[in-house]
Amino acid sequence: MPITNTLDFETLSARMDAWASEPDTSKRGRLVRMFRKNHGNSPDLQAARLALLIGYAENPA
């Protein structure tokens, strides 16, 4: 199922899995870990984190 015109769920999930193992100096790695832990237990924070992760996934460096 496409999330955006250029990104599907499987691609996002695979990239998040790879980013989760990045060191603490990686913004993407920290963001994935915070998203998965649901730190803060806030739907608004989770939505913001997901939006950032989608942005990172659409524009891989």
Side-chain angles (χ1 to χ4, degrees):
M1 176 178 175
I3 296 172
T4 67
N5 289 339
T6 59
L7 182 69
D8 61 14
F9 177 75
E10 290 79 19
T11 304
L12 175 62
S13 180
R15 290 183 182 165
M16 286 176 62
D17 288 341
W19 296 337
S21 62
E22 290 182 351
D24 283 342
T25 55
S26 163
K27 289 181 183 180
R28 296 180 310 193
R30 283 191 315 239
L31 188 58
V32 169
R33 290 186 290 276
M34 294 294 280
F35 179 76
R36 288 183 174 171
K37 289 180 184 177
N38 192 13
H39 191 72
N41 198 24
S42 166
D44 294 333
L45 282 175
Q46 286 295 84
R49 290 178 186 128
L50 184 58
L52 287 170
L53 287 167
I54 290 169
Y56 279 126
E58 283 187 314
N59 302 311

Coordinates of all heavy atoms in Angstrom, one line a residue:
M1 N 0.8 -1.2 0.0 CA 0.0 0.0 0.0 C 0.9 1.2 0.0 O 1.7 1.4 0.9 CB -0.9 0.0 1.2 CG -1.7 1.2 1.4 SD -2.8 1.0 2.8 CE -3.5 2.6 2.8
P2 N 0.7 2.1 -1.0 CA 1.6 3.3 -1.0 C 1.2 4.3 0.1 O 0.1 4.6 0.4 CB 1.3 3.9 -2.4 CG 0.0 3.3 -2.9 CD -0.2 2.0 -2.1
I3 N 2.3 4.8 0.7 CA 2.1 5.9 1.7 C 2.1 7.2 1.0 O 1.3 8.1 1.3 CB 3.2 5.8 2.7 CG1 3.1 4.5 3.5 CG2 3.2 7.0 3.7 CD1 4.3 4.3 4.5
T4 N 3.0 7.4 0.0 CA 3.0 8.5 -0.8 C 3.2 8.0 -2.2 O 3.3 6.8 -2.5 CB 4.2 9.5 -0.5 OG1 5.4 8.8 -0.7 CG2 4.2 9.9 1.0
N5 N 3.3 8.9 -3.2 CA 3.5 8.5 -4.6 C 4.8 7.8 -4.8 O 5.0 7.0 -5.7 CB 3.5 9.7 -5.5 CG 2.1 10.3 -5.6 OD1 1.1 9.6 -5.4 ND2 2.0 11.6 -6.0
T6 N 5.8 8.0 -3.9 CA 7.1 7.4 -4.1 C 7.6 6.4 -3.0 O 8.7 5.9 -3.0 CB 8.2 8.5 -4.2 OG1 8.2 9.3 -3.0 CG2 8.0 9.4 -5.4
L7 N 6.7 6.2 -2.1 CA 7.1 5.4 -0.9 C 5.9 4.4 -0.5 O 4.8 4.8 -0.4 CB 7.4 6.3 0.3 CG 7.8 5.6 1.6 CD1 9.2 5.0 1.4 CD2 7.9 6.7 2.7
D8 N 6.3 3.1 -0.3 CA 5.3 2.2 0.2 C 5.7 1.7 1.6 O 6.8 2.0 2.1 CB 5.1 1.0 -0.7 CG 6.4 0.2 -0.9 OD1 7.3 0.4 -0.1 OD2 6.4 -0.6 -1.9
F9 N 4.7 1.1 2.3 CA 5.0 0.7 3.7 C 6.2 -0.3 3.8 O 6.9 -0.1 4.8 CB 3.7 0.0 4.2 CG 3.9 -0.5 5.6 CD1 3.9 0.4 6.7 CD2 4.1 -1.9 5.9 CE1 4.1 -0.1 8.0 CE2 4.3 -2.3 7.2 CZ 4.3 -1.4 8.2
E10 N 6.4 -1.2 2.9 CA 7.5 -2.1 3.0 C 8.8 -1.4 2.9 O 9.7 -1.7 3.7 CB 7.4 -3.2 1.9 CG 6.2 -4.2 2.1 CD 4.9 -3.6 1.6 OE1 4.8 -2.6 0.9 OE2 3.9 -4.1 2.1
T11 N 8.9 -0.4 2.1 CA 10.1 0.3 1.9 C 10.4 1.1 3.2 O 11.5 1.2 3.7 CB 10.1 1.3 0.7 OG1 9.8 0.5 -0.4 CG2 11.4 2.0 0.6
L12 N 9.4 1.8 3.7 CA 9.5 2.6 5.0 C 9.9 1.7 6.1 O 10.8 2.0 6.9 CB 8.2 3.3 5.3 CG 8.2 4.0 6.6 CD1 9.2 5.2 6.6 CD2 6.8 4.6 6.9
S13 N 9.3 0.5 6.2 CA 9.6 -0.4 7.3 C 11.0 -0.9 7.2 O 11.8 -1.0 8.2 CB 8.6 -1.6 7.2 OG 8.9 -2.5 8.3
A14 N 11.5 -1.3 6.0 CA 12.9 -1.7 5.8 C 13.9 -0.6 6.2 O 14.9 -0.9 6.8 CB 13.1 -2.2 4.4
R15 N 13.6 0.6 5.8 CA 14.5 1.7 6.1 C 14.5 2.0 7.6 O 15.6 2.2 8.2 CB 14.1 2.9 5.3 CG 14.5 2.8 3.8 CD 14.2 4.0 3.0 NE 14.5 3.6 1.6 CZ 14.1 4.4 0.6 NH1 13.4 5.5 0.8 NH2 14.4 4.0 -0.7
M16 N 13.4 1.9 8.2 CA 13.3 2.1 9.7 C 14.1 1.0 10.4 O 14.8 1.3 11.4 CB 11.9 2.2 10.1 CG 11.1 3.4 9.8 SD 9.4 3.4 10.3 CE 9.5 3.3 12.0
D17 N 14.0 -0.2 9.9 CA 14.8 -1.3 10.6 C 16.3 -1.0 10.5 O 17.0 -1.2 11.4 CB 14.4 -2.7 9.9 CG 13.1 -3.2 10.3 OD1 12.5 -2.7 11.3 OD2 12.5 -4.0 9.5
A18 N 16.7 -0.6 9.3 CA 18.1 -0.3 9.1 C 18.5 0.9 10.0 O 19.6 0.9 10.6 CB 18.4 0.0 7.7
W19 N 17.7 1.9 10.1 CA 18.0 3.1 10.8 C 18.1 2.9 12.3 O 18.8 3.5 13.1 CB 17.0 4.3 10.6 CG 17.1 4.8 9.2 CD1 18.1 4.7 8.3 CD2 16.0 5.4 8.5 NE1 17.7 5.2 7.1 CE2 16.4 5.7 7.2 CE3 14.7 5.8 8.9 CZ2 15.7 6.4 6.3 CZ3 13.9 6.5 8.0 CH2 14.4 6.8 6.7
A20 N 17.2 1.9 12.8 CA 17.2 1.6 14.2 C 18.5 1.2 14.8 O 18.7 1.4 16.0 CB 16.1 0.6 14.5
S21 N 19.3 0.6 14.0 CA 20.6 0.1 14.5 C 21.7 1.2 14.4 O 22.9 0.9 14.7 CB 21.0 -1.2 13.8 OG 21.2 -0.9 12.4
E22 N 21.4 2.3 13.8 CA 22.4 3.4 13.7 C 22.8 3.9 15.1 O 22.0 3.8 16.0 CB 21.9 4.5 12.8 CG 21.8 4.2 11.4 CD 21.3 5.3 10.5 OE1 20.9 6.4 11.0 OE2 21.3 5.1 9.3
P23 N 24.0 4.5 15.3 CA 24.4 5.0 16.6 C 23.5 6.2 17.0 O 22.8 6.8 16.3 CB 25.8 5.4 16.3 CG 26.0 5.7 14.9 CD 25.0 4.7 14.2
D24 N 23.7 6.5 18.3 CA 22.9 7.6 18.9 C 23.2 9.0 18.3 O 22.4 9.9 18.5 CB 23.2 7.7 20.4 CG 22.5 6.6 21.2 OD1 21.5 6.1 20.6 OD2 22.8 6.4 22.3
T25 N 24.3 9.1 17.5 CA 24.6 10.4 16.9 C 23.7 10.6 15.6 O 23.7 11.7 15.1 CB 26.0 10.5 16.5 OG1 26.4 9.3 15.7 CG2 26.9 10.5 17.7
S26 N 23.0 9.5 15.2 CA 22.1 9.6 14.0 C 20.7 10.1 14.4 O 20.1 9.5 15.3 CB 22.0 8.2 13.4 OG 20.9 8.1 12.5
K27 N 20.3 11.1 13.8 CA 18.9 11.6 14.1 C 17.9 10.6 13.7 O 16.9 10.4 14.4 CB 18.7 12.9 13.3 CG 19.5 14.1 13.8 CD 19.1 15.4 13.0 CE 19.9 16.5 13.5 NZ 19.6 17.7 12.7
R28 N 18.1 10.0 12.5 CA 17.1 9.0 12.1 C 17.0 7.8 13.0 O 15.9 7.4 13.4 CB 17.5 8.4 10.7 CG 17.5 9.4 9.6 CD 17.9 8.8 8.3 NE 19.1 8.1 8.4 CZ 19.8 7.6 7.3 NH1 19.4 7.9 6.1 NH2 20.9 6.9 7.5
G29 N 18.2 7.3 13.5 CA 18.2 6.2 14.5 C 17.5 6.6 15.8 O 16.6 5.8 16.2
R30 N 17.7 7.7 16.3 CA 17.1 8.2 17.5 C 15.6 8.3 17.3 O 14.7 7.9 18.1 CB 17.6 9.5 18.0 CG 19.0 9.4 18.7 CD 19.3 10.6 19.4 NE 19.1 11.8 18.5 CZ 20.0 12.7 18.2 NH1 21.2 12.6 18.6 NH2 19.7 13.7 17.4
L31 N 15.2 8.9 16.1 CA 13.8 9.1 15.8 C 13.0 7.8 15.7 O 11.9 7.6 16.2 CB 13.7 9.9 14.5 CG 12.3 10.4 14.1 CD1 11.7 11.3 15.2 CD2 12.4 11.1 12.8
V32 N 13.6 6.8 15.1 CA 13.0 5.5 15.0 C 12.8 4.8 16.3 O 11.8 4.3 16.7 CB 13.8 4.5 14.0 CG1 13.3 3.1 14.1 CG2 13.8 5.0 12.6
R33 N 13.9 4.9 17.1 CA 13.8 4.3 18.5 C 12.7 5.0 19.3 O 11.9 4.4 20.1 CB 15.1 4.3 19.2 CG 16.1 3.3 18.5 CD 17.4 3.2 19.3 NE 18.2 4.4 19.2 CZ 19.1 4.7 18.2 NH1 19.2 3.8 17.2 NH2 19.8 5.8 18.2
M34 N 12.6 6.3 19.2 CA 11.6 7.1 20.0 C 10.2 6.7 19.4 O 9.2 6.6 20.2 CB 11.8 8.6 19.8 CG 13.0 9.1 20.5 SD 13.0 8.9 22.3 CE 12.1 10.3 22.7
F35 N 10.1 6.5 18.1 CA 8.8 6.2 17.5 C 8.3 4.8 18.0 O 7.2 4.6 18.4 CB 8.9 6.2 16.0 CG 7.6 5.8 15.3 CD1 6.5 6.7 15.2 CD2 7.5 4.5 14.8 CE1 5.4 6.3 14.6 CE2 6.3 4.2 14.1 CZ 5.2 5.1 14.1
R36 N 9.3 3.9 18.0 CA 8.9 2.5 18.4 C 8.6 2.4 19.9 O 7.8 1.5 20.3 CB 10.1 1.5 18.0 CG 10.1 1.3 16.5 CD 11.2 0.4 16.1 NE 11.1 0.1 14.7 CZ 12.0 -0.6 14.0 NH1 13.0 -1.1 14.6 NH2 11.8 -0.8 12.7
K37 N 9.3 3.2 20.7 CA 9.0 3.1 22.2 C 7.7 3.9 22.5 O 7.3 3.8 23.7 CB 10.2 3.7 22.9 CG 11.4 2.8 22.9 CD 12.5 3.5 23.7 CE 13.8 2.6 23.7 NZ 14.9 3.3 24.4
N38 N 7.3 4.8 21.6 CA 6.1 5.6 21.8 C 6.4 6.5 23.1 O 5.6 6.7 23.9 CB 4.8 4.9 22.0 CG 3.6 5.8 22.0 OD1 3.7 6.9 21.6 ND2 2.5 5.2 22.4
H39 N 7.6 7.1 23.1 CA 8.1 7.9 24.2 C 7.2 9.1 24.3 O 6.9 9.9 23.4 CB 9.5 8.4 23.9 CG 10.1 9.0 25.1 ND1 10.5 8.3 26.2 CD2 10.5 10.3 25.4 CE1 11.0 9.1 27.1 NE2 11.0 10.3 26.6
G40 N 6.6 9.3 25.5 CA 5.7 10.4 25.7 C 4.2 10.0 25.6 O 3.4 10.7 26.1
N41 N 4.0 8.9 25.0 CA 2.6 8.3 24.9 C 1.6 9.4 24.3 O 0.5 9.5 24.9 CB 2.2 7.8 26.2 CG 1.0 6.8 26.0 OD1 0.8 6.2 25.0 ND2 0.2 6.7 27.1
S42 N 2.1 10.1 23.3 CA 1.2 11.1 22.7 C 1.0 10.9 21.2 O 1.9 10.8 20.5 CB 1.9 12.5 22.9 OG 1.3 13.5 22.1
P43 N -0.3 10.8 20.9 CA -0.6 10.6 19.4 C -0.1 11.7 18.6 O 0.4 11.5 17.4 CB -2.1 10.6 19.4 CG -2.6 10.3 20.8 CD -1.5 10.8 21.7
D44 N 0.0 12.9 19.1 CA 0.5 14.1 18.3 C 2.0 13.9 18.1 O 2.5 14.2 16.9 CB 0.2 15.4 19.0 CG -1.3 15.7 19.1 OD1 -2.0 15.3 18.2 OD2 -1.7 16.4 20.0
L45 N 2.7 13.5 19.1 CA 4.2 13.3 18.9 C 4.4 12.1 18.0 O 5.3 12.2 17.1 CB 4.8 13.0 20.3 CG 5.1 14.2 21.2 CD1 5.6 13.7 22.5 CD2 6.1 15.1 20.5
Q46 N 3.6 11.1 18.1 CA 3.8 9.9 17.2 C 3.6 10.3 15.7 O 4.3 9.9 14.8 CB 2.9 8.8 17.6 CG 3.4 8.0 18.8 CD 4.7 7.3 18.6 OE1 5.8 8.0 18.8 NE2 4.7 6.1 18.3
A47 N 2.5 11.1 15.5 CA 2.2 11.6 14.1 C 3.4 12.4 13.6 O 3.7 12.3 12.4 CB 0.9 12.3 14.1
A48 N 3.9 13.3 14.4 CA 5.0 14.2 14.0 C 6.2 13.3 13.7 O 6.9 13.6 12.7 CB 5.3 15.2 15.1
R49 N 6.5 12.3 14.6 CA 7.7 11.5 14.3 C 7.5 10.7 13.0 O 8.4 10.6 12.2 CB 7.8 10.5 15.5 CG 8.3 11.1 16.7 CD 8.4 10.1 17.9 NE 8.7 10.8 19.1 CZ 8.0 10.6 20.2 NH1 7.0 9.8 20.3 NH2 8.4 11.3 21.3
L50 N 6.3 10.2 12.8 CA 6.0 9.4 11.6 C 6.2 10.3 10.3 O 6.8 9.9 9.3 CB 4.6 8.8 11.6 CG 4.3 7.9 10.4 CD1 5.3 6.8 10.3 CD2 2.9 7.4 10.6
A51 N 5.7 11.5 10.4 CA 5.9 12.5 9.3 C 7.4 12.7 9.0 O 7.8 12.7 7.8 CB 5.2 13.8 9.6
L52 N 8.2 12.9 10.0 CA 9.6 13.1 9.8 C 10.2 11.8 9.2 O 11.1 11.9 8.3 CB 10.3 13.4 11.1 CG 10.0 14.8 11.7 CD1 10.6 15.0 13.1 CD2 10.7 15.9 10.8
L53 N 9.9 10.6 9.7 CA 10.4 9.4 9.2 C 10.0 9.2 7.7 O 10.9 8.8 6.9 CB 9.9 8.2 10.0 CG 10.6 8.1 11.4 CD1 9.8 7.1 12.2 CD2 12.0 7.7 11.3
I54 N 8.8 9.5 7.4 CA 8.4 9.4 6.0 C 9.2 10.4 5.1 O 9.7 10.1 4.0 CB 6.9 9.7 5.8 CG1 6.1 8.5 6.4 CG2 6.5 9.9 4.4 CD1 4.6 8.8 6.5
G55 N 9.4 11.6 5.6 CA 10.3 12.6 4.9 C 11.7 12.1 4.7 O 12.2 12.2 3.6
Y56 N 12.3 11.5 5.7 CA 13.6 10.9 5.6 C 13.6 9.8 4.6 O 14.5 9.6 3.7 CB 14.1 10.4 6.9 CG 14.7 11.4 7.8 CD1 14.2 11.5 9.1 CD2 15.7 12.3 7.4 CE1 14.8 12.5 10.0 CE2 16.3 13.2 8.3 CZ 15.8 13.3 9.6 OH 16.3 14.2 10.4
A57 N 12.6 8.9 4.6 CA 12.5 7.7 3.7 C 12.3 8.1 2.3 O 12.8 7.4 1.4 CB 11.4 6.8 4.2
E58 N 11.6 9.2 2.0 CA 11.4 9.6 0.6 C 12.6 10.2 0.0 O 12.8 10.2 -1.2 CB 10.3 10.7 0.6 CG 8.9 10.1 0.7 CD 7.8 11.2 0.5 OE1 8.0 12.3 1.1 OE2 6.9 10.9 -0.2
N59 N 13.5 10.8 0.8 CA 14.7 11.4 0.3 C 16.0 10.8 0.9 O 16.7 11.4 1.7 CB 14.7 12.9 0.7 CG 13.5 13.6 0.1 OD1 13.2 13.4 -1.1 ND2 12.8 14.4 0.9
P60 N 16.2 9.5 0.5 CA 17.4 8.8 1.1 C 18.7 9.5 0.7 O 18.8 9.9 -0.5 CB 17.3 7.4 0.6 CG 16.5 7.5 -0.6 CD 15.6 8.7 -0.4
A61 N 19.6 9.6 1.6 CA 20.9 10.3 1.3 C 21.9 9.3 0.7 O 21.9 8.2 0.9 CB 21.5 11.0 2.5

